[in-house]
Amino acid sequence: MTSRTCLSIILAAGEGTRMKSALPKVLHRIAGLPLICHVANAVRGAGEGDVALVVGRGAEEVRAAVEKVSPNVSSHEQKERLGTAHAVLAAREAIARGYDDLLIVFGDTPLIEEAALIEARSKLAEGFDIVVMGFRPADPSGYGRLIEKEGRLVAIREEKDANAEEKRINFCNGGLMALRGDHALALLDAVRNDNAKGEFYLTDTIEIAHKQGRKVTAIEVPVDNVIGINTRVELAEAEAIWQDRKRRAVMLSGVTMIAPETVFFSHDTLVEADAVIEPNVFFGPGVHVASGAVIHSFCHLEGAHVGPNAEIGPFARLRPGADLAEKSKVGNFCEIKNATVAKGAKVNHLTYIGDAFVGAGANIGAGTITCNYDGHNKWRTEIGEGTFIGSNTSLVAPVSVGANAYIASGSVITENVPDSALAFGRARQVTKEGRATVLRERYAAIKAAKKAEK
């Protein structure tokens, strides 16, 4: 396959009106990635090649999205909506460059897998001229049927045109197709629009090729591979399928998930073997969890690295730039942002660490916060290895606390603390004997006076 050149034509010019959105349909997301980028990743996985986008509304946005995941992208505007064959021919300039294989896919079918595309290209390499990707739904009603004779595909019959015998066929047209590049333009140009809608249908190439004596076949792909997204309901259904695939793959790779149906992954989440993920965990983009790490329940991670045998949560939030080293711990109701927590350090509970470095073996007490923002700029806090930060401490950045220092509970630290020093940053306690009784009497009198006024 690597010796064969390929052009993947992604059709993405549909209006997507049923999404009821200002955003182009193909830019809606599954697992944090635009629908069309899932498709682009699949065609790239089926063999390096060029991509031709057939676009309409939001053309520049669509192209910019695809270019982030796929090199060698060209875009081609479909100015009129005159059918699928017409849409493919919008990329005539790209097709004419000459490729061994053409893959025709849709920007709103994000669940297509590279294995299906590889099989289609393999059939072209065997000598077939057209390969149609078909599927077998539980109920074929409404779908075009694939008409086969002696192992060859001879026609695609829309249900309204099918006779009783053809309607009993449950092998249906998935819409995706592969064509030999040297025959593609001739077949597409031969399509006519002499039908009720006056449109040029890609499916007509099957009968044209059959009449020309060309070899046409169909392959069967899983039903979910050809699911198209037209509404927000279908978007959610496709998300569920994608998440189920990912959960299964993660568990088969050696990760323990106690309640996998409650865990949600991003398209790029990486979890190494022997990690443990408890229920109700959400992974945003850019998360790497190393081997042996434990993610307790109700955690939210995004743009974070969790080192080997580290422990997170429950109820912890790791924001972009959080980097937790081996055997570190971030406990319940903690938030880490743009900060490194070195080996064996502990941030146990009710704490915010942002724009900071926490040294190896340091212990951060409950209620500690790094005051990193002054209303205009972010500032950094450095905490040395082996340091103890007492509960309810505020570290006003920029500030540095040296190695093996000790910060007394309830302190507000505004100046650097040297290595091995003890720092207090709180007012001296003052006790007034008997004043509590006086205060209660005073407050009771005020309350009574207000009540009397009413």
Side-chain angles (χ1 to χ4, degrees):
M1 294 300 298
T2 56
S3 64
R4 296 179 64 86
T5 59
C6 182
L7 174 67
S8 297
I9 301 173
I10 304 179
L11 304 183
E15 291 294 330
T17 54
R18 283 184 283 170
M19 293 295 285
K20 294 180 170 56
S21 175
L23 186 70
K25 178 174 69 170
V26 295
L27 294 185
H28 285 264
R29 295 173 180 265
I30 285 178
L33 189 70
L35 303 180
I36 197 167
C37 293
H38 285 276
V39 179
N41 282 337
V43 298
R44 189 179 73 246
E48 291 296 333
D50 297 334
V51 172
L53 297 176
V54 177
V55 293
R57 184 168 69 95
E60 291 303 317
E61 296 171 79
V62 172
R63 175 169 179 162
V66 174
E67 284 179 337
K68 291 180 181 179
V69 300
S70 182
N72 307 321
V73 177
S74 62
S75 60
H76 310 268
E77 184 180 3
Q78 185 187 15
K79 295 180 180 179
E80 297 180 274
R81 307 293 184 267
L82 299 178
T84 48
H86 179 264
V88 173
L89 280 172
R92 178 187 293 274
E93 180 183 353
I95 298 170
R97 296 188 195 117
Y99 295 87
D100 296 316
D101 303 339
L102 259 64
L103 286 175
I104 300 173
V105 294
F106 298 96
D108 63 355
T109 55
L111 300 177
I112 183 64
E113 294 176 290
E114 62 183 60
L117 301 175
I118 290 172
E119 184 181 358
R121 289 192 64 195
S122 296
K123 290 294 183 182
L124 293 180
E126 291 174 14
F128 286 96
D129 297 293
I130 301 180
V131 182
V132 172
M133 293 176 230
F135 68 109
R136 298 185 189 275
D139 180 5
S141 301
Y143 294 108
R145 307 303 206 276
L146 300 182
I147 311 300
E148 296 177 295
K149 289 183 179 179
E150 298 178 354
R152 299 287 181 89
L153 180 65
V154 297
I156 299 177
R157 190 84 71 233
E158 296 303 322
E159 185 172 48
K160 64 180 183 297
D161 300 320
N163 59 36
E165 183 181 353
E166 290 169 340
K167 286 181 179 179
R168 286 194 289 271
I169 297 170
N170 71 342
F171 195 22
C172 300
N173 178 32
L176 288 72
M177 191 180 294
L179 295 84
R180 282 178 59 92
D182 52 359
H183 299 149
L185 279 177
L187 287 170
L188 291 164
D189 283 332
V191 174
R192 295 292 177 261
N193 66 339
D194 49 354
N195 52 64
K197 289 189 175 181
E199 294 186 350
F200 299 87
Y201 295 132
L202 184 62
T203 51
D204 288 351
T205 59
I206 307 306
E207 288 192 72
I208 294 169
H210 180 66
K211 290 176 181 177
Q212 293 178 356
R214 300 193 186 282
K215 296 173 63 178
V216 183
T217 191
I219 61 171
E220 183 177 346
V221 302
V223 173
D224 59 16
N225 274 233
V226 294
I227 290 176
I229 309 301
N230 294 298
T231 67
R232 309 286 182 131
V233 173
E234 292 169 346
L235 183 68
E237 291 170 347
E239 176 83 41
I241 293 169
W242 189 96
Q243 292 293 340
D244 282 342
R245 285 182 183 176
K246 180 69 173 181
R247 292 164 187 148
R248 180 175 176 81
V250 168
M251 289 187 287
L252 289 174
S253 74
V255 175
T256 295
M257 296 173 66
I258 296 170
E261 69 279 6
T262 69
V263 176
F264 291 85
F265 293 102
S266 175
H267 65 98
D268 60 352
T269 306
L270 176 60
V271 185
E272 295 181 8
D274 289 325
V276 175
I277 304 173
E278 292 186 355
N280 297 296
V281 174
F282 182 89
F283 293 93
V287 177
H288 177 193
V289 178
S291 178
V294 177
I295 312 298
H296 292 294
S297 295
F298 297 99
C299 289
H300 187 289
L301 298 81
E302 179 180 357
H305 176 266
V306 180
N309 301 302
E311 186 176 355
I312 311 300
F315 294 97
R317 184 184 183 196
L318 302 186
R319 292 171 58 194
D323 186 3
L324 278 57
E326 181 181 1
K327 295 184 179 179
S328 60
K329 181 179 180 182
V330 172
N332 51 294
F333 301 102
C334 291
E335 181 175 321
I336 311 294
K337 189 272 294 184
N338 192 30
T340 298
V341 180
K343 183 177 180 179
K346 296 179 180 179
V347 184
N348 277 317
H349 29 228
L350 301 162
T351 290
Y352 170 69
I353 301 294
D355 300 294
F357 175 82
V358 179
N363 188 92
I364 310 299
T368 295
I369 60 172
T370 56
C371 306
N372 55 327
Y373 183 51
D374 63 7
H376 298 280
N377 300 293
K378 296 289 182 69
W379 300 97
R380 192 163 177 82
T381 298
E382 300 283 339
I383 299 171
E385 66 178 43
T387 287
F388 179 89
I389 307 293
S391 296
N392 201 33
T393 292
S394 296
L395 300 165
V396 183
V399 71
S400 175
V401 180
N404 300 306
Y406 194 109
I407 306 299
S409 296
S411 293
V412 177
I413 301 300
T414 59
E415 298 178 0
N416 292 342
V417 178
D419 292 353
S420 301
L422 168 63
F424 293 81
R426 61 193 184 201
R428 183 178 297 277
Q429 180 175 320
V430 176
T431 303
K432 304 284 187 178
E433 294 286 345
R435 288 295 296 273
T437 300
V438 174
L439 287 174
R440 288 192 182 94
E441 291 173 350
R442 180 186 301 169
Y443 296 152
I446 293 171
K447 182 177 181 180
K450 289 182 177 180
K451 187 175 181 180
E453 290 176 359
K454 296 179 179 179

